[in-house]
Amino acid sequence: MATAQRLSALAVVLGGEPRVEQGDLSLALAAAELIDLTEAQAVLLDGDRVLPAAPVRTGCPMLIEAASQVVRDFPYETVVGWLWRRGSGLAGRYRAAAADARHVHRDAADAVRDWNDPVLAHLAAAAGMRPTPSDDTSADLDPDQIAILGETHQAVTQLAAERQRRSIERGPSEGILRGF
């Protein structure tokens, strides 16, 4: 099962507790796809750029779709650009794909067994499903995974800042001015 499918299954089995922001989950799912694409050598990372490589060989329709969306023209796309572009609405699409396939419960059970997988643990932390794993788990990650996960955490932080900014803009301005 692809990493993004396992992460999506975890979100389903947790049932929204703790509350998972769909934007955070979408960014983490895009990162999971990118990690799987690097492991399949369908893309290569050159610094912060995602370079197309070999065709992806997998039976996962979502991963095939992800591979087809890799920017193939110089100067290529940055990892963070991929996360934002590919991640747009991705949580809902994975949820719908799991419901269509009717494998949610089995996939969720498989994902829970893999909870200690360092990549899955870091992605789940980025999505807000669990605390950030200890530094011990980072030792098991390769440089591409570390780079992608780092960009993912930064993107999630940016998204949280944007949510907070919008919340403040919508909030009662009088209370803000008085410090309440």
Side-chain angles (χ1 to χ4, degrees):
M1 179 186 332
T3 305
Q5 288 174 308
R6 293 177 12 216
L7 183 63
S8 180
L10 274 173
V12 169
V13 78
L14 291 175
E17 292 300 326
R19 186 172 182 273
V20 177
E21 293 286 345
Q22 293 304 291
D24 297 353
L25 180 56
S26 289
L27 288 168
L29 288 166
E33 288 180 339
L34 190 54
I35 287 170
D36 284 348
L37 290 173
T38 60
E39 288 175 358
Q41 298 180 341
V43 299
L44 303 171
L45 292 188
D46 183 16
D48 70 339
R49 300 283 169 174
V50 179
L51 282 62
V56 68
R57 291 171 180 23
T58 180
C60 175
M62 293 292 284
L63 199 55
I64 292 168
E65 177 186 301
S68 74
Q69 292 184 359
V70 172
V71 173
R72 301 196 179 283
D73 298 319
F74 185 81
Y76 307 109
E77 186 170 37
T78 62
V79 170
V80 74
W82 165 268
L83 295 175
W84 288 110
R85 183 176 59 82
R86 177 66 183 161
S88 181
L90 200 55
R93 294 182 50 228
Y94 266 93
R95 190 173 40 256
D100 287 347
R102 302 197 193 326
H103 296 297
V104 175
H105 297 294
R106 188 189 67 204
D107 290 350
D110 291 343
V112 170
R113 278 196 294 273
D114 292 338
W115 190 247
N116 292 325
D117 174 286
V119 169
L120 191 60
H122 281 275
L123 289 168
M129 290 189 272
R130 68 173 290 171
T132 302
S134 67
D135 288 338
D136 296 346
T137 62
S138 297
D140 296 328
L141 301 172
D142 69 39
D144 287 347
Q145 293 169 335
I146 291 169
I148 294 166
L149 291 167
E151 293 287 349
T152 305
H153 283 285
Q154 287 181 7
V156 168
T157 300
Q158 288 176 328
L159 185 56
E162 180 62 20
R163 274 191 214 107
Q164 184 177 18
R165 183 188 66 76
R166 288 181 183 182
S167 173
I168 290 169
E169 286 176 355
R170 286 190 305 262
S173 60
E174 187 174 309
I176 293 170
L177 293 174
R178 293 185 181 168
F180 294 103

